[in-house]
Amino acid sequence: VSVPNVVGLKQADAKSELEKAGLVVSEEGVYLTSNDNYYPVGYVSAQDPVNSSSQVPEGTTVKIYVCKGYKYNVEVKIPYDFKDLYTKVSIWDGGLIKESEEQDLLAIGYTYVFKELTTTEEQLELTVKISDENGTRYNLYDVVVTNKKGSIGETQNTPHKDYNKYPKEDGITTNHGNNNTQTGGANTEE
């Protein structure tokens, strides 16, 4: 029998088509990354063997890989004037998704990356927060994660409206592209 191409079909439709051709179906859920072609959740993103003009024996197993969501990374640039040299970085979608261990900002070059987070959403809005030595969290960035054709796991970071309200090193006054300049302040959200 010929192996039909079921990539791009809904999981149930792909399984039905393969079984009609006399083939056995094996299924595996996978998270798509920026290296993969986009498929909606529940759709077949790959198959093995791929469709073939050559014949395979009836009863051959065809493995289908079904999209169960998307992997993404979020890179966080921590301001150089944050008052503490050690901080925890956390990412939120209303509730806590993930929080880092305490980070030495000098050792990590003031950049922290959340790696291989997963979602089933095509667009996700998140907030990145940093914590001071007392554990108080400060809003730093709003992040939009987009999963669509041509851009799986694409992230866009913009400063949170409270970006300038984290505690600064003594004597430093900064303007991070906003029109308000502050030293210190404490507007936190949990």
Side-chain angles (χ1 to χ4, degrees), residues 42-58:
Y43 282 71
V44 176
S45 62
Q47 71 182 66
D48 183 29
V50 294
N51 67 314
S52 170
S53 57
S54 61
Q55 301 289 305
V56 297
E58 190 170 323

Side-chain angles (χ1 to χ4, degrees), residues 35-85:
N35 296 326
D36 297 315
N37 289 325
Y38 169 83
Y39 293 95
V41 172
Y43 282 71
V44 176
S45 62
Q47 71 182 66
D48 183 29
V50 294
N51 67 314
S52 170
S53 57
S54 61
Q55 301 289 305
V56 297
E58 190 170 323
T60 297
T61 298
V62 176
K63 187 170 194 173
I64 59 173
Y65 298 88
V66 180
C67 174
K68 66 177 183 178
Y70 312 97
K71 284 186 181 178
Y72 62 97
N73 299 329
V74 175
E75 183 176 286
V76 179
K77 300 279 187 193
I78 299 161
Y80 290 112
D81 61 353
F82 186 63
K83 75 173 183 89
D84 296 330
L85 284 178

Side-chain angles (χ1 to χ4, degrees), residues 72 74 76 82 86-93 95-103 112-115 117 127-138 189-190:
Y72 62 97
V74 175
V76 179
F82 186 63
Y86 296 91
T87 187
K88 289 183 180 181
V89 184
S90 55
I91 193 160
W92 301 71
D93 68 351
L96 178 65
I97 295 176
K98 190 169 186 178
E99 184 169 48
S100 71
E101 296 294 321
E102 188 171 76
Q103 300 295 312
Y112 183 80
V113 180
F114 288 100
K115 294 182 180 177
L117 300 172
T127 301
V128 172
K129 300 180 182 195
I130 53 175
S131 301
D132 66 14
E133 63 189 14
N134 299 318
T136 304
R137 292 185 178 109
Y138 299 88
E189 294 181 21
E190 298 276 341

